Amino acid sequence: MTDKENNKVNISFFLQPKCNVAYIYSSDTFRQGLEKMDHYGYTAIPVLDDKERYVGTITEGDFLWSICSLKHGDISSIPARELEKYHVEDINFRRNYPSVRIDADMEEMVDRVMNQNFVPVVDDRSVFIGIITRKDVIKYFAEKSARNFTNEIKI
């Protein structure tokens, strides 16, 4: 991608705003987090602190490993009520899902989206404002490529 192409599209073009995105809070219980992930069918979800700042992304695996450590691997005997005693902030996030700032350039955003299904987007105070999905980025470039191909054929 050339510098000229980078300047044409701002990453906010890809942004799915916070009001359209599921997320959980670090103060949520294991049960609340798991229920929200199950409700939306997600395998990973952004985690925010009480000031709406992005603190990381939690995965099903993070929950599983934490629950296993509570019962030393015997998760079949954990009642749902037990999951209300523990909070998301107590979980060790095993994988880093770095965010980008809304003023980041396309190159940084594309670099992140190549390694993550979605990229959390924050403002200059690290407040979570939404996500950019890999699917939306691929769709944009596929449509752009198709348009370029069509234009080349017409020439």
Side-chain angles (χ1 to χ4, degrees):
M1 187 179 314
T2 67
D3 288 337
K4 185 177 178 183
E5 289 173 315
N6 277 341
N7 292 331
K8 287 184 182 180
V9 179
N10 184 302
I11 71 165
S12 62
F13 173 80
F14 299 99
L15 185 70
Q16 291 187 23
K18 180 179 175 182
C19 62
N20 297 338
V21 174
Y23 52 89
I24 60 176
Y25 289 97
S26 57
S27 60
D28 286 349
T29 65
F30 278 26
R31 184 175 179 173
Q32 289 170 315
L34 286 167
E35 285 175 350
K36 188 168 260 189
M37 288 178 76
D38 181 52
H39 174 77
Y40 289 99
Y42 293 159
T43 58
I45 193 167
V47 179
L48 312 183
D49 69 11
D50 61 342
K51 293 186 170 122
E52 306 292 315
R53 293 178 300 218
Y54 173 73
V55 296
T57 295
I58 194 163
T59 67
E60 290 174 322
D62 295 332
F63 276 110
L64 180 62
W65 285 109
S66 294
I67 292 169
C68 284
S69 71
L70 297 175
K71 290 292 184 173
H72 306 290
D74 183 17
I75 63 171
S76 62
S77 64
I78 299 177
R81 280 191 149 359
E82 183 78 10
L83 298 178
E84 294 173 4
K85 295 179 182 178
Y86 303 97
H87 295 88
V88 172
E89 63 199 358
D90 301 325
I91 296 175
N92 178 28
F93 300 177
R94 298 170 64 83
R95 185 165 178 240
N96 185 22
Y97 289 80
S99 61
V100 294
R101 286 182 34 157
I102 190 63
D103 58 357
D105 60 25
M106 283 289 292
E107 188 174 333
E108 181 181 2
M109 187 271 298
V110 169
D111 183 54
R112 297 274 165 80
V113 87
M114 285 191 317
N115 298 304
Q116 300 169 209
N117 288 336
F118 66 88
V119 179
V121 182
V122 298
D123 68 10
D124 60 345
R125 298 170 297 141
S126 295
V127 171
F128 179 75
I129 59 175
I131 65 170
I132 295 171
T133 66
R134 181 184 293 163
K135 178 182 177 181
D136 289 339
V137 173
I138 291 171
K139 181 180 176 185
Y140 168 80
F141 284 110
E143 289 172 354
K144 183 177 178 180
S145 179
R147 282 191 306 271
N148 289 343
F149 181 72
T150 302
N151 288 339
E152 287 178 16
I153 292 175
K154 289 179 183 178
I155 297 176

